[in-house]
Amino acid sequence: MPVPNRNRTLTEWLTLLLGVVILLVGLFFVIAGADLAMLSGSTYYVLCGILLVGSGVFMLMGRTLGAFLYLGSLAYTWVWSLWEVGFSPVDLLPRAFGPTILGILVALTIPVLRRMESRRTLRGAV
């Protein structure tokens, strides 16, 4: 159940916007990744997309679990990237730069999500 819209701060709105971006990227990864997997390609995109969709949904609900799911998918991305191309910076850049930048932003939202979550708990929501 989403947190009510009244009395939201700018940081809460930006956190929700980031949740929407992550959700949309996750949906794209699931759809495009399923096509790739059906062509005998990597299943990384489908698995990562599922994590991203979950992350975006939980962030939109104002739950810290969303941030931790994203950070887990970021760790998975780094492991997959290193396994696929090794330690070549030129090859790692397109695979890990974008997700890492988003990961920094997500890590910065953890205090905001905790505040949103504690507000829900104080009102008696589960």
Side-chain angles (χ1 to χ4, degrees):
M1 177 183 299
V3 179
N5 289 338
R6 50 183 190 229
N7 300 327
R8 289 195 196 245
T9 64
L10 177 62
T11 56
E12 290 172 344
W13 282 110
L14 292 174
T15 298
L16 295 176
L17 178 63
L18 183 59
V20 168
V21 168
I22 291 170
L23 176 64
L24 293 175
V25 169
L27 288 173
F28 176 76
F29 270 35
V30 168
I31 293 166
D35 284 342
L36 181 63
M38 292 170 86
L39 297 171
S40 300
S42 175
T43 58
Y44 158 79
Y45 296 99
V46 175
L47 296 173
C48 190
I50 291 168
L51 287 172
L52 292 178
V53 167
S55 172
V57 168
F58 280 114
M59 286 181 74
L60 288 173
M61 292 172 62
R63 303 219 178 210
T64 55
L65 178 60
F68 292 118
L69 276 176
Y70 184 86
L71 296 176
S73 73
L74 179 60
Y76 174 55
T77 297
W78 271 97
V79 168
W80 170 78
S81 298
L82 290 170
W83 174 78
E84 189 173 56
V85 298
F87 290 96
S88 169
V90 172
D91 294 326
L92 279 175
L93 185 66
R95 288 169 176 79
F97 181 74
T100 301
I101 295 299
L102 276 179
I104 292 168
L105 294 175
V106 167
L108 292 173
T109 67
I110 290 173
V112 177
L113 289 168
R114 284 195 175 157
R115 185 173 59 240
M116 292 168 73
E117 206 166 37
S118 69
R119 238 184 294 152
R120 288 174 53 104
T121 305
L122 290 175
R123 282 197 316 261
V126 177

